[in-house]
Amino acid sequence: MPKVTGFRTVDVRFPTSRGLDGSDAMNKEPDYSAALLILETDDPTLEGHGFVFTCGRGNDLQCDMIEQLAPYAVGRDVADLATSMGEFARSLVRDSQIRWLGPEKGVTQMAAGAVVNAAWDLVTKHAKKPLWKFLSDLTPEQIVELVDFRYITDALTPAEALEILRKTEPQRAANEAKLRAEGLPAYTTTPGWLGYTDEKMVRLAKEAVAAGYTLIKLKCGGSLEDDKRRLRLAREAVGPDIRIAIDANQVWDVNQAIEWIKGIGDVNLYWVEEPTNPDDVLGHAAIAKAIAPVRVATGEHGMNRILFKQMLQAKSFSFMQIDATRVAGVNENIANILMAAKFGVPVCPHAGGVGLCELVQHLAMFDSVAVTGHHAGRVVEFVDHLHEHFVVPTNIQNARYMPPVEPGAGGEMYAQSIADFTFPHGKEWASA
Amino acid sequence: MPKVTGFRTVDVRFPTSRGLDGSDAMNKEPDYSAALLILETDDPTLEGHGFVFTCGRGNDLQCDMIEQLAPYAVGRDVADLATSMGEFARSLVRDSQIRWLGPEKGVTQMAAGAVVNAAWDLVTKHAKKPLWKFLSDLTPEQIVELVDFRYITDALTPAEALEILRKTEPQRAANEAKLRAEGLPAYTTTPGWLGYTDEKMVRLAKEAVAAGYTLIKLKCGGSLEDDKRRLRLAREAVGPDIRIAIDANQVWDVNQAIEWIKGIGDVNLYWVEEPTNPDDVLGHAAIAKAIAPVRVATGEHGMNRILFKQMLQAKSFSFMQIDATRVAGVNENIANILMAAKFGVPVCPHAGGVGLCELVQHLAMFDSVAVTGHHAGRVVEFVDHLHEHFVVPTNIQNARYMPPVEPGAGGEMYAQSIADFTFPHGKEWASA
């Protein structure tokens, strides 16, 4: 039986700021980066890969924090981990000294997520299943055991979670067949980066529609006049039937958000994403109420299940945008997905960056097979960047995420990519 | 004119876990620690000291994050900093790459706080005033300029903040005279650590009353029977007129908190502190409503002004417990104090740990002179630990904090203490 014998972290950064890919009103020049953790075993063919996505500076620090939590995995038997991932994940957020540095937020929470996700990569590779399939084959009781219910029982009890899962259980086989045949609908942010010219945005929007996308997203919040012009051009380019969402990346205060969104006028917006600070449960709720029927989406910076719980309780959003590496990994996102199911809110994962599509698709697919089934409102973000570095890249067909069949949780990059983009001595940085 | 020429950080840890001082239901064996930043200038007699308080593990990481933000101070003229601390503090939370690791929470936010507080130490030493006095001598306009209003204008606008400050301005001289004569009321947590025996708790509670304290606080949340017994013993020991507060340190879920607090019965509790997760605005509001007239206090883990804003909006607490090193330093706490003033909630700072009393007293004193004046509900936590390591230790007389007269922000430790407790090679650790 393989056992975790050690680990290494790598500071991997892609120099995306050179091309303004990924530019938005808040993140002006991100270098898409991964604070990468590789769990090693005594089987040289078996490693577990997990990472935290960051925007560049501080990625080294994120690696260092992962190194403080990764020792919790060392010495564990992979088969034992496979049946105790709930307890394992909970142990990572309950180190009573490190907890002070959060608790359960920011650098420490994301570090816990990298360790949890790397462990899931190990467990699912060992089981020879992709993560979405592994999770979807667990019993309702086993799934509930994965969740840390601490601080969320006022919104979701273990018994309620069980009930949700049991209700869907008879449909799992049909849901899985449908997933394998049709995949899950994707939407694309590729046309909409703030640093792009109008011409490039229009060209990419038309290409997106030609590729089958029915929802595109534009960054906004630089200036109201720019937003109005870009939205008008985008609407002309894609026609009336394509859904258009906008993403403000947290640039507005609450009242400013309401005024700005109303000022844009009626362009049939599908959602407004991150209109204000991600911690502002009440602010999002006020915005959602004021701008209805335009809806609010948020969550990529949602720090933990306690925030998501409140956003559901307060009706802060109509779409829950979980992120694969912002919270404490797969387990905390299962809590988020189950809470969303109880409150009837579709989970529409955030992706993009580097590797976020590869990771988060598993969670959306698990949701579609074993939790809510094929929810009509679900759509998963897709950005066509940096997939070539992944051993199991996303497989988009007709603007839909097709389920990976290869074992693992999706976070493994090619060794050559890791080497070339290691900061600051990999060849892509040394030569810059 | 002195200029910031460089900086150093030191990982300072005190082995408090050996004696179970500081033990509570969540923090079972903290080693009170400081991730210390020293800003150096070209004047060898002038250094700025700031730190983040932590519980041990991860303190090295906190130092590393401080090192990523401290360069923002290097090259700045101290006299220039003195008139631009608002802009300086805002620059630390707007590094668009590092922001991703928060935003404005956890390790990155606390690191910004250490840099801000060290800069204030420099500025106030150069001005030869204690921080509380320096702040209290600023004009309302200058104070407002210190605040980052981003994300809080729906609760407090700059104009409203000015109005609050202008209203108190005519009383400042009288408030200051009163502060210098009488100090500010302290309360003590010294008797109540969870690791203490009943006998030790009772003895320390009696000593606290003999020393003049009129409010003591006991840790709770281990078991309901223990809490009932300890509270009964404490009440017997101190008599009916002394206020007793309890502190659960986040151990309960929302409904559990309500049941537990009601289960304690009528022992005339002054407040219940941290009944649940610090991020839970709505949870605290539900608890506050259910346990009234017992009141809720929280805030020592409040990550930023956006959380405090919501807790005020939702009536989550009756006492706002700011902490000197949890948020982005003096400036963000001025925002918190001004919001509390607008909402009529007393600021009762959290302290203890190492150096938190030395730092936070300045903020309470500024509040008492220039913001709310001598608010009847204000009380400042005092724990009698580790003060001997500080160049300007707290001066408690008759259970009151007397205002420091020495220049600075309060964060300077003796060089010998720093050397002895540097982890892991200082002599106190090397010999363990």
Side-chain angles (χ1 to χ4, degrees), chain A residues 182-347:
Chain A
E182 301 178 5
L184 290 185
Y187 76 91
T188 177
T189 313
T190 297
W193 300 107
L194 217 51
Y196 288 178
T197 62
D198 288 352
E199 291 67 28
K200 185 168 182 181
M201 182 270 290
V202 164
R203 175 172 57 78
L204 292 172
K206 287 181 175 170
E207 286 175 17
V209 174
Y213 288 97
T214 59
L215 168 56
I216 64 169
K217 191 169 82 185
L218 304 187
K219 298 295 181 176
C220 70
S223 90
L224 181 58
E225 290 314 307
D226 282 351
D227 288 352
K228 288 165 90 162
R229 188 189 69 254
R230 282 159 50 86
L231 281 166
R232 184 173 46 75
L233 292 171
R235 178 56 75 201
E236 284 171 15
V238 303
D241 299 333
I242 299 297
R243 294 168 296 174
I244 301 178
I246 57 173
D247 184 353
N249 291 90
Q250 315 169 23
V251 290
W252 299 315
D253 280 20
V254 173
N255 294 326
Q256 185 187 15
I258 293 168
E259 282 168 37
W260 193 298
I261 297 161
K262 290 188 168 178
I264 285 175
D266 185 11
V267 288
N268 194 15
L269 290 177
Y270 190 63
W271 75 53
V272 178
E273 181 169 327
E274 287 204 307
T276 191
N277 187 275
D279 308 332
D280 201 343
V281 174
L282 300 178
H284 279 89
I287 294 167
K289 203 169 168 185
I291 68 169
V294 176
R295 289 170 292 186
V296 169
T298 195
E300 69 180 86
H301 278 78
M303 61 194 166
N304 57 36
R305 69 198 177 286
I306 299 124
L307 184 80
F308 283 108
K309 174 188 78 166
Q310 294 177 81
M311 289 201 151
L312 289 163
Q313 291 172 324
K315 303 190 199 311
S316 303
F317 53 44
S318 298
F319 304 95
M320 183 198 273
Q321 300 180 304
I322 60 170
D323 179 276
T325 81
R326 174 65 59 186
V327 299
V330 166
N331 295 58
E332 191 161 34
N333 269 324
I334 293 175
N336 293 333
I337 288 169
L338 285 166
M339 287 193 292
K342 177 174 168 196
F343 283 82
V345 169
V347 175

Side-chain angles (χ1 to χ4, degrees), chain B residues 295-412:
Chain B
R295 289 170 292 185
V296 168
T298 195
E300 69 180 86
H301 278 78
M303 61 194 167
N304 58 35
R305 69 198 177 285
I306 300 124
L307 184 80
F308 282 108
K309 174 188 78 165
Q310 295 177 80
M311 289 201 152
L312 288 163
Q313 291 171 323
K315 304 192 199 310
S316 303
F317 51 44
S318 299
F319 304 95
M320 183 198 273
Q321 300 181 304
I322 60 170
D323 179 275
T325 81
R326 173 66 59 185
V327 299
V330 167
N331 295 60
E332 191 162 33
N333 269 324
I334 293 174
N336 293 334
I337 288 168
L338 286 166
M339 287 193 292
K342 177 173 168 197
F343 284 81
V345 169
V347 175
C348 298
H350 167 254
V354 55
L356 295 178
C357 301
E358 278 73 13
L359 293 182
V360 87
Q361 63 177 341
H362 288 274
L363 297 168
M365 290 170 187
F366 160 67
D367 184 14
S368 78
V369 173
V371 186
T372 55
H374 279 261
H375 195 296
R378 182 187 304 108
V379 63
V380 185
E381 185 166 21
F382 179 68
V383 186
D384 199 4
H385 283 160
L386 305 173
H387 302 289
E388 64 275 20
H389 301 294
F390 285 82
V391 175
V392 185
T394 50
N395 174 14
I396 304 287
Q397 292 183 19
N398 297 319
R400 299 177 81 88
Y401 272 90
M402 301 309 291
V405 294
E406 300 85 349
E412 185 170 351

